[in-house]
Amino acid sequence: MTENDLTAPIRVLVVEDNPADARLVYELLLETGVRRFETQFADRLGLALHRLQRESFDALLLDLSLPDAQGIESIAAVQAVASDLPILILTGLNDEDVALEAVSNGAQDYLVKGQSNTALLTRALRYAIERKRTEQRLTYLAQFDPLTNLPNRALFRDRLEQALKRAKRSAHSVGLMFLDLDHFKDINDTLGHEAGDKLLTAAARRIRDCVRDQDTVARLGGDEFTVILPDITELNDAKRVAKAIGRAMAKPLLIDNHELYVSTSIGISMFPQDGDGPDCLIKSADIALYAAKQKGRSVYEVFESSMTNEMAERVKIATKLRQALERDEFTLHYQPQFDLQNNELTGMEALLRWTNPALGSVPPATFIPLLEETGLITAVGDWVLRSACLQLRAWDEAGLPPTRVAVNLSPRQFRQRNLVTKVEEILSETGTSSDRIQLEITESALLSDSRQNLTTLHGLRELGIKISIDDFGTGFSSLGYLRLFPFDALKLDKSFINAITIDPNGAAIVSAVIALAHSLQLRVIAEGVELTNEFAFLAQQGCDEVQGFLLSRPLDALACGAWMQQRLVAATLQ
């Protein structure tokens, strides 16, 4: 309540047809000595309703026996035009039962005529006003999210049910969209909950700006939002909204001087084809949202019946994945990397593999997104780095030539504030020299907080670790990253390498990227090299290193050690 609220007069409308009773109320409220009451009168309910439509009042004193209205019907009439107005009933000695019924139907309190004084009347009015405010606040909290001011889960459910009822009568469609913010937890953990709340508020505004007035945007909790699109005619209507939200969310957000990039994944279901009731429609939209996440996020997916089986399989895999680390089901395979000019071995990339007794060998494209989504990637990532370091020591003890191992850092790992300390501890624990490790970071890991990212990268460089940007060209603002962040190498994504021989533009892009990287003193590593003409083109363009099936498939630790031993023997015999 502001200072102005405390000093402004309390405006009271008195609805009373008895002049003597009205005069008594006026005199009691004329001057309280603390705060003035401004009193208006009406002797008919109709006149009172007319005034309520034109003017604003803080409270209403209402007689239930009026010439044009009797009993609690007066309360309903008042609430129809001023639902937020506190009502205090004026009743005679013999009408207390009616007054109590009025209170149970929405009035805040009642006073018996002839038994009031100034103190009692003013206190009753103030209590009625405060009670109404509390009631309104509780009603608001029961229906709205206090952070974003969007409808909450309960109101969302009610509005969805109403939209479906109208659609059944009108033969229109209803679109339902489930959304969440990609990698929100990482940002929340990195910058803190206060920044996370500001991000949610900004995201809510952007989503709201993309829909019509009759649409409902609700926050279900955390970073989960939903949009109800009533009275639409076709799926394309929902798709247009999804695209608009995607474009809006792709723009950077400035939160506490941090420039953040936060995309959103969206799942869409449609009434009646994807469900004839709220529960089915919600389930379908939720399944479509998971399908969008599985496709790499920052996309929308429309529900299809086949997704149900895919979801069940996904849940089964995720359940077994939670036990994989403790059951020692993970292994590392190593893919050799070669100097393209002299065909010398320059290092290995450590690649995570998972074999489950029931599922067999699970493809990385299936389980790694699940590790990221469930948060298991942090513990598994630590295991990968530690295992790679231990393997380097084992190869050294076997008398093999020293080599370097490249280890991938997931976005969630990279955003840990204690990453540098953790890496240093693992190197110390395993006795691994920092120049034997190269960390690979994808562009998507750099989307959250440039300042923190820069601090982390410089901390890793100070340890003596080489850093490469992985999957270059598949994210956002690639050139800006190369200029801003201290990288040692750039890895060309497999998709660009595969385009060399089939698309002149693809070859031109690869050539330009190699030249750009070299101008910035970065080494270029091409991955996914499978054809001899790809190899020849890269050599011609001065690419530094290559890896791929053309040279060697990923090998388990034992096979990789044997492979290096053979190369050592062959080199000795030459």
Side-chain angles (χ1 to χ4, degrees), residues 327-347:
R327 294 182 178 179
D328 202 25
E329 294 176 0
F330 290 118
T331 57
L332 289 183
H333 284 204
Y334 299 87
Q335 186 169 40
Q337 299 170 325
F338 298 88
D339 186 302
L340 197 145
Q341 304 305 320
N342 57 27
N343 201 32
E344 290 293 325
L345 180 69
T346 56

mmCIF file of all heavy atoms in Angstrom, residues 327-347:
data_model
loop_
_atom_site.group_PDB
_atom_site.id
_atom_site.type_symbol
_atom_site.label_atom_id
_atom_site.label_comp_id
_atom_site.label_asym_id
_atom_site.label_seq_id
_atom_site.Cartn_x
_atom_site.Cartn_y
_atom_site.Cartn_z
ATOM 1 N N ARG A 327 27.223 -49.423 -12.708
ATOM 2 C CA ARG A 327 27.355 -50.817 -13.155
ATOM 3 C C ARG A 327 28.481 -50.999 -14.170
ATOM 4 O O ARG A 327 28.600 -52.066 -14.777
ATOM 5 C CB ARG A 327 26.026 -51.302 -13.749
ATOM 6 C CG ARG A 327 24.917 -51.385 -12.695
ATOM 7 C CD ARG A 327 23.626 -51.916 -13.273
ATOM 8 N NE ARG A 327 22.597 -52.039 -12.237
ATOM 9 C CZ ARG A 327 21.355 -52.459 -12.442
ATOM 10 N NH1 ARG A 327 20.972 -52.784 -13.688
ATOM 11 N NH2 ARG A 327 20.489 -52.554 -11.452
ATOM 12 N N ASP A 328 29.262 -49.944 -14.389
ATOM 13 C CA ASP A 328 30.455 -50.019 -15.238
ATOM 14 C C ASP A 328 30.106 -50.445 -16.664
ATOM 15 O O ASP A 328 30.792 -51.266 -17.269
ATOM 16 C CB ASP A 328 31.470 -50.997 -14.626
ATOM 17 C CG ASP A 328 32.883 -50.728 -15.127
ATOM 18 O OD1 ASP A 328 33.156 -49.580 -15.518
ATOM 19 O OD2 ASP A 328 33.693 -51.664 -15.130
ATOM 20 N N GLU A 329 29.048 -49.861 -17.202
ATOM 21 C CA GLU A 329 28.597 -50.224 -18.551
ATOM 22 C C GLU A 329 29.173 -49.304 -19.627
ATOM 23 O O GLU A 329 29.022 -49.574 -20.817
ATOM 24 C CB GLU A 329 27.069 -50.192 -18.615
ATOM 25 C CG GLU A 329 26.401 -51.251 -17.739
ATOM 26 C CD GLU A 329 24.897 -51.163 -17.719
ATOM 27 O OE1 GLU A 329 24.328 -50.264 -18.388
ATOM 28 O OE2 GLU A 329 24.257 -51.988 -17.051
ATOM 29 N N PHE A 330 29.814 -48.207 -19.234
ATOM 30 C CA PHE A 330 30.402 -47.285 -20.203
ATOM 31 C C PHE A 330 31.826 -47.708 -20.545
ATOM 32 O O PHE A 330 32.562 -48.237 -19.709
ATOM 33 C CB PHE A 330 30.431 -45.862 -19.657
ATOM 34 C CG PHE A 330 29.079 -45.222 -19.530
ATOM 35 C CD1 PHE A 330 28.596 -44.840 -18.285
ATOM 36 C CD2 PHE A 330 28.286 -45.007 -20.649
ATOM 37 C CE1 PHE A 330 27.360 -44.244 -18.150
ATOM 38 C CE2 PHE A 330 27.041 -44.412 -20.527
ATOM 39 C CZ PHE A 330 26.572 -44.038 -19.277
ATOM 40 N N THR A 331 32.208 -47.458 -21.783
ATOM 41 C CA THR A 331 33.591 -47.651 -22.223
ATOM 42 C C THR A 331 33.976 -46.473 -23.106
ATOM 43 O O THR A 331 33.116 -45.708 -23.551
ATOM 44 C CB THR A 331 33.755 -48.952 -23.033
ATOM 45 O OG1 THR A 331 32.865 -48.936 -24.145
ATOM 46 C CG2 THR A 331 33.481 -50.171 -22.167
ATOM 47 N N LEU A 332 35.268 -46.343 -23.360
ATOM 48 C CA LEU A 332 35.754 -45.329 -24.293
ATOM 49 C C LEU A 332 36.368 -46.003 -25.504
ATOM 50 O O LEU A 332 37.102 -46.986 -25.381
ATOM 51 C CB LEU A 332 36.808 -44.434 -23.627
ATOM 52 C CG LEU A 332 36.319 -43.460 -22.554
ATOM 53 C CD1 LEU A 332 37.488 -42.610 -22.050
ATOM 54 C CD2 LEU A 332 35.201 -42.574 -23.070
ATOM 55 N N HIS A 333 36.017 -45.480 -26.664
ATOM 56 C CA HIS A 333 36.701 -45.850 -27.901
ATOM 57 C C HIS A 333 37.508 -44.633 -28.342
ATOM 58 O O HIS A 333 37.194 -43.503 -27.969
ATOM 59 C CB HIS A 333 35.707 -46.263 -28.969
ATOM 60 C CG HIS A 333 35.145 -47.631 -28.752
ATOM 61 N ND1 HIS A 333 34.624 -48.400 -29.770
ATOM 62 C CD2 HIS A 333 35.029 -48.389 -27.634
ATOM 63 C CE1 HIS A 333 34.206 -49.559 -29.289
ATOM 64 N NE2 HIS A 333 34.444 -49.571 -27.987
ATOM 65 N N TYR A 334 38.543 -44.891 -29.137
ATOM 66 C CA TYR A 334 39.461 -43.825 -29.518
ATOM 67 C C TYR A 334 39.604 -43.802 -31.031
ATOM 68 O O TYR A 334 39.899 -44.821 -31.655
ATOM 69 C CB TYR A 334 40.824 -44.032 -28.860
ATOM 70 C CG TYR A 334 40.752 -44.021 -27.352
ATOM 71 C CD1 TYR A 334 40.472 -45.181 -26.623
ATOM 72 C CD2 TYR A 334 40.940 -42.838 -26.648
ATOM 73 C CE1 TYR A 334 40.391 -45.171 -25.248
ATOM 74 C CE2 TYR A 334 40.864 -42.816 -25.257
ATOM 75 C CZ TYR A 334 40.581 -43.983 -24.561
ATOM 76 O OH TYR A 334 40.498 -43.962 -23.195
ATOM 77 N N GLN A 335 39.373 -42.608 -31.622
ATOM 78 C CA GLN A 335 39.550 -42.466 -33.075
ATOM 79 C C GLN A 335 40.807 -41.649 -33.339
ATOM 80 O O GLN A 335 40.927 -40.507 -32.889
ATOM 81 C CB GLN A 335 38.349 -41.791 -33.725
ATOM 82 C CG GLN A 335 38.463 -41.766 -35.258
ATOM 83 C CD GLN A 335 37.172 -41.346 -35.930
ATOM 84 O OE1 GLN A 335 36.491 -40.445 -35.467
ATOM 85 N NE2 GLN A 335 36.834 -42.006 -37.023
ATOM 86 N N PRO A 336 41.768 -42.228 -34.084
ATOM 87 C CA PRO A 336 43.026 -41.526 -34.357
ATOM 88 C C PRO A 336 42.812 -40.258 -35.183
ATOM 89 O O PRO A 336 41.925 -40.177 -36.032
ATOM 90 C CB PRO A 336 43.849 -42.561 -35.146
ATOM 91 C CG PRO A 336 43.253 -43.881 -34.773
ATOM 92 C CD PRO A 336 41.792 -43.613 -34.587
ATOM 93 N N GLN A 337 43.665 -39.267 -34.912
ATOM 94 C CA GLN A 337 43.716 -38.026 -35.678
ATOM 95 C C GLN A 337 45.106 -37.905 -36.283
ATOM 96 O O GLN A 337 46.103 -38.199 -35.623
ATOM 97 C CB GLN A 337 43.420 -36.823 -34.766
ATOM 98 C CG GLN A 337 42.035 -36.868 -34.138
ATOM 99 C CD GLN A 337 41.839 -35.810 -33.068
ATOM 100 O OE1 GLN A 337 42.776 -35.475 -32.340
ATOM 101 N NE2 GLN A 337 40.626 -35.287 -32.948
ATOM 102 N N PHE A 338 45.159 -37.482 -37.542
ATOM 103 C CA PHE A 338 46.425 -37.483 -38.287
ATOM 104 C C PHE A 338 46.760 -36.092 -38.798
ATOM 105 O O PHE A 338 45.873 -35.315 -39.186
ATOM 106 C CB PHE A 338 46.345 -38.436 -39.486
ATOM 107 C CG PHE A 338 46.104 -39.866 -39.116
ATOM 108 C CD1 PHE A 338 44.804 -40.343 -38.967
ATOM 109 C CD2 PHE A 338 47.158 -40.724 -38.909
ATOM 110 C CE1 PHE A 338 44.573 -41.670 -38.639
ATOM 111 C CE2 PHE A 338 46.944 -42.046 -38.576
ATOM 112 C CZ PHE A 338 45.646 -42.520 -38.431
ATOM 113 N N ASP A 339 48.066 -35.804 -38.826
ATOM 114 C CA ASP A 339 48.557 -34.621 -39.515
ATOM 115 C C ASP A 339 48.385 -34.875 -41.010
ATOM 116 O O ASP A 339 48.918 -35.850 -41.557
ATOM 117 C CB ASP A 339 50.031 -34.379 -39.178
ATOM 118 C CG ASP A 339 50.542 -33.074 -39.761
ATOM 119 O OD1 ASP A 339 50.469 -32.905 -40.989
ATOM 120 O OD2 ASP A 339 51.016 -32.229 -38.984
ATOM 121 N N LEU A 340 47.638 -34.019 -41.661
ATOM 122 C CA LEU A 340 47.263 -34.291 -43.047
ATOM 123 C C LEU A 340 48.455 -34.182 -44.001
ATOM 124 O O LEU A 340 48.463 -34.821 -45.058
ATOM 125 C CB LEU A 340 46.154 -33.313 -43.458
ATOM 126 C CG LEU A 340 45.349 -33.678 -44.701
ATOM 127 C CD1 LEU A 340 43.901 -33.245 -44.541
ATOM 128 C CD2 LEU A 340 45.924 -33.011 -45.939
ATOM 129 N N GLN A 341 49.450 -33.411 -43.620
ATOM 130 C CA GLN A 341 50.565 -33.204 -44.541
ATOM 131 C C GLN A 341 51.578 -34.355 -44.517
ATOM 132 O O GLN A 341 52.160 -34.697 -45.544
ATOM 133 C CB GLN A 341 51.273 -31.886 -44.203
ATOM 134 C CG GLN A 341 50.343 -30.672 -44.214
ATOM 135 C CD GLN A 341 49.581 -30.502 -45.530
ATOM 136 O OE1 GLN A 341 50.145 -30.709 -46.608
ATOM 137 N NE2 GLN A 341 48.306 -30.125 -45.433
ATOM 138 N N ASN A 342 51.786 -34.992 -43.342
ATOM 139 C CA ASN A 342 52.790 -36.059 -43.279
ATOM 140 C C ASN A 342 52.243 -37.392 -42.766
ATOM 141 O O ASN A 342 53.009 -38.332 -42.556
ATOM 142 C CB ASN A 342 53.968 -35.614 -42.393
ATOM 143 C CG ASN A 342 53.508 -35.235 -40.984
ATOM 144 O OD1 ASN A 342 52.484 -35.732 -40.501
ATOM 145 N ND2 ASN A 342 54.269 -34.358 -40.342
ATOM 146 N N ASN A 343 50.923 -37.429 -42.549
ATOM 147 C CA ASN A 343 50.239 -38.659 -42.123
ATOM 148 C C ASN A 343 50.718 -39.168 -40.764
ATOM 149 O O ASN A 343 50.555 -40.331 -40.419
ATOM 150 C CB ASN A 343 50.406 -39.775 -43.165
ATOM 151 C CG ASN A 343 49.327 -40.840 -43.017
ATOM 152 O OD1 ASN A 343 48.201 -40.536 -42.623
ATOM 153 N ND2 ASN A 343 49.671 -42.083 -43.325
ATOM 154 N N GLU A 344 51.299 -38.285 -39.943
ATOM 155 C CA GLU A 344 51.732 -38.654 -38.612
ATOM 156 C C GLU A 344 50.537 -38.602 -37.639
ATOM 157 O O GLU A 344 49.657 -37.748 -37.757
ATOM 158 C CB GLU A 344 52.827 -37.711 -38.113
ATOM 159 C CG GLU A 344 54.158 -37.870 -38.836
ATOM 160 C CD GLU A 344 54.802 -39.224 -38.556
ATOM 161 O OE1 GLU A 344 54.645 -39.715 -37.411
ATOM 162 O OE2 GLU A 344 55.442 -39.774 -39.458
ATOM 163 N N LEU A 345 50.536 -39.527 -36.672
ATOM 164 C CA LEU A 345 49.496 -39.533 -35.647
ATOM 165 C C LEU A 345 49.678 -38.323 -34.731
ATOM 166 O O LEU A 345 50.754 -38.108 -34.178
ATOM 167 C CB LEU A 345 49.570 -40.820 -34.826
ATOM 168 C CG LEU A 345 48.540 -40.965 -33.700
ATOM 169 C CD1 LEU A 345 47.145 -41.134 -34.268
ATOM 170 C CD2 LEU A 345 48.894 -42.159 -32.809
ATOM 171 N N THR A 346 48.622 -37.520 -34.577
ATOM 172 C CA THR A 346 48.708 -36.339 -33.716
ATOM 173 C C THR A 346 47.939 -36.516 -32.406
ATOM 174 O O THR A 346 48.200 -35.810 -31.432
ATOM 175 C CB THR A 346 48.150 -35.093 -34.428
ATOM 176 O OG1 THR A 346 46.795 -35.357 -34.842
ATOM 177 C CG2 THR A 346 48.991 -34.748 -35.646
ATOM 178 N N GLY A 347 46.992 -37.446 -32.386
ATOM 179 C CA GLY A 347 46.224 -37.637 -31.166
ATOM 180 C C GLY A 347 45.054 -38.569 -31.384
ATOM 181 O O GLY A 347 44.911 -39.195 -32.449
#
